[in-house]
Amino acid sequence: EAGVAQSPRYKIIEKRQSVAFWCNPISGHATLYWYQQILGQGPKLLIQFQNNGVVDDSQLPKDRFSAERLKGVDSTLKIQPAKLEDSAVYLCASSRLPQEGYTFGSGTRLTVV
Amino acid sequence: AQSVTQPDIHITVSEGASLELRCNYSYGATPYLFWYVQSPGQGLQLLLKYFSGDTLVQGIKGFEAEFKRSQSSFNLRKPSVHWSDAAEYFCAVGAPYNNNDMRFGAGTRLTVKP
């Protein structure tokens, strides 16, 4: 089966600019996650979708981050405006059943200068 | 919410030696437990998982892990390490009764000496 697709692979922006990331999960996976991984740390959950509804966004900085999942398939994560501390790898993952674990995409490496 | 502790930030082993990476979790019930591996510049790959049944689970690449409820641990082991095993290893815990979200430890970086 095809994996989780993410784009772009890399992005460099100036602080206060906006940026968007795209994710296409594995077909049939109802649950989609966005994680932020800062260099040297483990991934931190930002938001979890079940189909096109939000299950958990308690760790999403809602003043600058937003996410949506269109028609329960693709998802976009946006940052506006970006700060230096947003520099990280943004990982998208999907799962069919939670006990099966998640399948991760290769991530988008964001550098804010 | 659940949490995960990986006590070792960095471990160095010689090629051919055995390996054990430690993982402790905090959760009020039996969680789902996972080990992932991440090579530089890559996403995370699932090595193995536990959610019920036999507490010793086998994974890919010759890895195994044992769930010990009494110690709240899920340590990863490999009897003989290969140079290609050098990577970052993450333990993760999923919460069956809390939105099923997954929380990760900070990771253990494995270096393999020739």
Side-chain angles (χ1 to χ4, degrees), chain A residues 1-76:
Chain A
E1 62 181 3
V4 176
Q6 288 189 248
S7 67
R9 192 78 172 87
Y10 303 93
K11 191 73 177 179
I12 300 175
I13 62 172
E14 296 183 349
K15 59 183 179 183
R16 291 187 290 274
Q17 286 188 321
S18 63
V19 64
F21 313 128
W22 173 82
C23 173
N24 180 241
I26 292 174
S27 177
H29 281 195
T31 313
L32 184 148
Y33 313 82
W34 282 102
Y35 282 83
Q36 179 193 57
Q37 186 176 22
I38 293 173
L39 187 64
Q41 299 182 18
K44 183 185 84 171
L45 178 68
L46 292 176
I47 190 167
Q48 175 186 349
F49 292 95
Q50 180 75 23
N51 296 310
N52 61 352
V54 176
V55 176
D56 183 359
D57 63 357
S58 58
Q59 298 189 94
L60 186 74
K62 299 181 186 64
D63 57 334
R64 298 183 301 106
F65 286 64
S66 65
E68 62 179 0
R69 189 176 184 193
L70 305 174
K71 300 180 181 178
V73 181
D74 293 8
S75 177
T76 55

Side-chain angles (χ1 to χ4, degrees), chain B residues 25-106:
Chain B
Y25 69 88
S26 174
Y27 185 60
T30 300
Y32 303 143
L33 294 162
F34 309 89
W35 275 98
Y36 285 84
V37 61
Q38 187 176 37
S39 298
Q42 302 299 312
L44 289 94
Q45 182 184 21
L46 180 65
L47 284 176
L48 47 76
K49 57 182 181 282
Y50 171 83
F51 60 92
S52 67
D54 193 344
T55 56
L56 183 65
V57 294
Q58 304 296 320
I60 62 171
K61 304 184 179 186
F63 286 93
E64 67 177 27
E66 186 172 12
F67 169 55
K68 292 186 177 180
R69 186 189 307 273
S70 61
Q71 299 177 20
S72 297
S73 69
F74 189 57
N75 294 348
L76 182 71
R77 300 193 293 252
K78 186 169 185 178
S80 178
V81 171
H82 188 261
W83 64 266
S84 60
D85 294 324
E88 189 89 19
Y89 290 80
F90 293 95
C91 181
V93 56
Y97 305 107
N98 183 29
N99 292 331
N100 290 310
D101 67 7
M102 187 185 299
R103 304 299 171 101
F104 283 81

